[in-house]
Amino acid sequence: MANTGNLDASIEQLLNVEKQMRLAGDVAGTRKAVTDILQLCFEARAWKTLNDQIVVLSKRRGQLKQAVTAMVQQAMQFIDKTPDIETRIELIKTLNSVSAGKIYVEIERARLIKKLAKIKEEQGLIAEAADLMQEIAVETFGAMAKTEKIAFILEQVRLCLDRQDYVRAQILSRKISPRVFDVDPSKEKKKPKEGDNVVEEAPADIPSLLELKRIYYELMIRYYSHNNDYLEICRCYKAIYEIPSVKENPADWTPILRKICWYLVLAPHDPMQSSLLNSTLEDKNLSEIPSFKHLLKQLVTMEVIQWNTLWETYKNDFENENISGSSLGEKAAEDLKQRIIEHNILVVSKYYARITLKRLAELLCLSVQEAEKHLSDMVVSKALIAKIDRPMGIVCFQTEKDSNDILNSWAANLEKLLDLVEKSCHQIHKETMVHKAALKV
């Protein structure tokens, strides 16, 4: 009780000093007085008094911004030294209420919310933690370091993915432009001009830009995996693969390159997939995993792939491939078979103008009904142009030309024919002249 009396007396004394300094407009003196009050409460381990004093001091008439900032910053150092979780949450909530709506302590408020969200997450309240984090729009904070902003948004995205709120996760992820990771940090540092906001240094626990790049793409892989968007997943792995620290270490890049190969094979055929496929085949590192190089080469080569042979060869690799702690799964195995069938149909369309459905089914190792279904799906998705004559059982891969195209092709053919006739006449004339010359001799 004596200690409590001494503490109250000391606080009363310092409150009078704080009032005099505040009314006199002495920034340094007011700041020292408020921090001394908080220090006294902390040393006495009077946590309730500390919370009360923070609220009282922040609400005093004409309280200086610098004093509030110093008070919030000092109290934040006491958070990790609290005796139990309830006291910690109470202190964070007090500081949150004090800093709410004040731009000059917006960074401190963001850090407080992050701490509180972490506690909620540890208690298993993921939805509550995600809601807390979404209250803060760090992209508008001019004084916050770029890496800290990115780390904060990534934390928001992660919590949304954890609670399976994929729509909000996508909206939040769009606040980060992937180009921000390609900026050279050494060239970026420049002295602030007069009147500019001074950007704070990021705290020590914030990862570097390249580490954040990896975290960003790993979160995007989780998002795209939900929709089985194989091409986007492949592009994310490609971005991780290009990180210098990954590319220098074979133990890091080998599993990532394997995943790039698998997702390239699983991705539907389109110009972007084709471009990525060819650029990956040119990668020298692919020679270190020859089975995957052979797999990609099969897709580029215009030859029919036997599904059964391919599955026997790669089944173990496919089932052992570990993606985010789980294997590729049955859905991916079905999609792989689908891609091989699509590849085979494209190959057949290159070599044949017309083919019977029966022969097409034989080449694809499918029944006639399955072959017709896959072919129809490709025509609908505009991956291929074909017509099926069902009564005759014939597939025609030739495109229907309009009258202008036909006339143009005829004109081109006539031009070629006349050119050949002219060349032939010239050769005959030449031979005749040579023959006449020989007779004269």
Side-chain angles (χ1 to χ4, degrees):
M1 289 299 287
N3 285 345
T4 309
N6 289 343
L7 178 65
D8 289 344
S10 304
I11 289 171
E12 198 60 46
Q13 201 176 344
L14 282 166
L15 283 171
N16 290 330
V17 173
E18 184 271 337
K19 185 180 179 182
Q20 289 168 10
M21 296 295 179
R22 176 165 42 86
L23 295 175
D26 186 340
V27 173
T30 312
R31 193 189 290 152
K32 187 176 185 318
V34 297
T35 51
D36 284 351
I37 291 169
L38 298 194
Q39 191 64 35
L40 273 176
C41 297
F42 170 66
E43 284 167 6
R45 295 288 186 268
W47 300 104
K48 191 177 184 313
T49 312
L50 175 68
N51 287 332
D52 294 343
Q53 288 304 321
I54 291 169
V55 174
V56 168
L57 288 165
S58 67
K59 287 184 176 176
R60 291 200 122 184
R61 186 163 166 262
Q63 185 59 277
L64 303 171
K65 290 178 182 179
Q66 294 90 333
V68 175
T69 307
M71 189 168 62
V72 171
Q73 286 173 348
Q74 190 190 15
M76 281 176 73
Q77 294 169 12
F78 303 152
I79 291 170
D80 293 330
K81 295 168 185 172
T82 48
D84 52 52
I85 202 84
E86 285 77 20
T87 312
R88 188 173 300 173
I89 291 171
E90 199 55 46
L91 179 55
I92 292 172
K93 283 184 174 174
T94 303
L95 290 170
N96 268 341
S97 65
V98 166
S99 56
K102 297 182 175 73
I103 290 175
Y104 49 90
V105 281
E106 62 185 3
I107 294 176
E108 285 77 11
R109 178 169 161 75
R111 289 171 185 166
L112 285 164
I113 292 284
K114 197 174 177 182
K115 278 181 188 287
L116 187 57
K118 195 167 175 48
I119 292 167
K120 294 286 182 192
E121 191 185 358
E122 284 166 3
Q123 291 174 342
L125 305 168
I126 291 170
E128 214 171 301
D131 290 338
L132 271 171
M133 288 291 279
Q134 279 157 43
E135 288 175 18
I136 309 295
V138 287
E139 64 276 9
T140 62
F141 295 2
M144 188 182 261
K146 185 169 74 175
T147 50
E148 192 177 354
K149 277 186 199 179
I150 296 168
F152 196 94
I153 296 168
L154 290 178
E155 192 64 12
Q156 290 176 324
V157 173
R158 184 185 66 79
L159 285 166
C160 284
L161 289 172
D162 285 350
R163 74 186 287 197
Q164 298 185 340
D165 187 351
Y166 294 101
V167 174
R168 194 168 269 114
Q170 186 196 22
I171 293 165
L172 289 166
S173 70
R174 284 181 176 170
K175 290 181 180 180
I176 301 171
S177 166
R179 281 179 294 183
V180 81
F181 300 115
D182 301 325
V183 177
D184 187 355
S186 57
K187 290 179 184 173
E188 208 186 27
K189 282 187 180 176
K190 56 178 189 245
K191 286 182 182 176
K193 293 175 188 171
E194 204 173 327
D196 279 2
N197 281 339
V198 178
V199 177
E200 284 192 18
E201 286 289 318
D205 62 337
I206 298 294
S208 67
L209 200 60
L210 287 174
E211 286 166 3
L212 288 169
K213 180 179 182 178
R214 183 162 189 158
I215 295 165
Y216 168 77
Y217 282 110
E218 282 170 354
L219 289 171
M220 293 318 293
I221 288 164
R222 277 181 64 188
Y223 169 72
Y224 289 121
S225 298
H226 168 65
N227 301 320
N228 289 322
D229 194 339
Y230 298 124
L231 187 61
E232 287 300 331
I233 296 170
C234 175
R235 290 175 71 188
C236 291
Y237 275 120
K238 193 91 173 162
I240 294 172
Y241 178 70
E242 296 298 332
I243 297 171
S245 60
V246 173
K247 205 140 194 197
E248 288 161 11
N249 187 357
D252 283 346
W253 64 250
T254 307
I256 291 171
L257 191 54
R258 284 167 64 101
K259 289 177 177 64
I260 289 170
C261 293
W262 277 126
Y263 282 113
L264 270 174
V265 177
L266 286 164
H269 178 80
D270 70 4
M272 175 66 78
Q273 185 260 5
S274 185
S275 170
L276 276 172
L277 190 61
N278 288 306
S279 66
T280 307
L281 269 169
E282 287 167 14
D283 193 331
K284 289 175 185 174
N285 289 342
L286 198 61
S287 305
E288 301 294 318
I289 39 176
S291 60
F292 283 85
K293 188 171 186 177
H294 178 64
L295 176 66
L296 295 189
K297 272 196 167 172
Q298 280 183 284
L299 283 177
V300 174
T301 311
M302 280 289 120
E303 287 180 14
V304 171
I305 301 168
Q306 291 295 326
W307 165 249
N308 294 339
T309 314
L310 181 115
W311 185 241
E312 279 171 27
T313 312
Y314 293 98
K315 187 180 179 184
N316 289 337
D317 281 321
F318 189 85
E319 287 174 352
N320 295 335
E321 195 63 57
N322 191 17
I323 309 283
S324 308
S326 61
S327 61
L328 280 160
E330 284 181 25
K331 172 81 173 73
E334 286 170 21
D335 288 337
L336 179 63
K337 188 176 183 181
Q338 175 83 5
R339 298 295 161 256
I340 299 302
I341 291 167
E342 285 174 8
H343 167 82
N344 290 344
I345 291 172
L346 285 168
V347 170
V348 171
S349 72
K350 288 272 190 300
Y351 288 109
Y352 290 87
R354 293 167 85 241
I355 188 171
T356 62
L357 260 175
K358 189 167 178 263
R359 177 66 182 139
L360 179 67
E362 281 173 21
L363 288 169
L364 300 176
C365 304
L366 298 170
S367 67
V368 173
Q369 287 80 11
E370 284 177 319
E372 191 180 318
K373 181 188 174 294
H374 287 294
L375 182 63
S376 304
D377 288 344
M378 286 186 75
V379 172
V380 169
S381 65
K382 293 191 168 62
L384 184 74
I385 296 170
K387 280 193 173 182
I388 304 171
D389 184 341
R390 294 185 82 182
M392 295 289 288
I394 292 172
V395 181
C396 182
F397 290 112
Q398 283 181 325
T399 54
E400 193 178 317
K401 293 178 182 176
D402 63 7
S403 53
N404 287 334
D405 289 337
I406 294 166
L407 285 168
N408 287 339
S409 68
W410 285 356
N413 289 341
L414 276 169
E415 206 172 314
K416 277 184 188 173
L417 179 66
L418 291 170
D419 193 38
L420 283 168
V421 169
E422 195 178 339
K423 278 183 182 174
S424 303
C425 290
H426 181 70
Q427 288 294 333
I428 292 164
H429 187 62
K430 186 180 169 185
E431 287 291 324
T432 310
M433 296 298 285
V434 170
H435 187 63
K436 278 183 181 176
L439 283 174
K440 279 179 185 176
V441 171

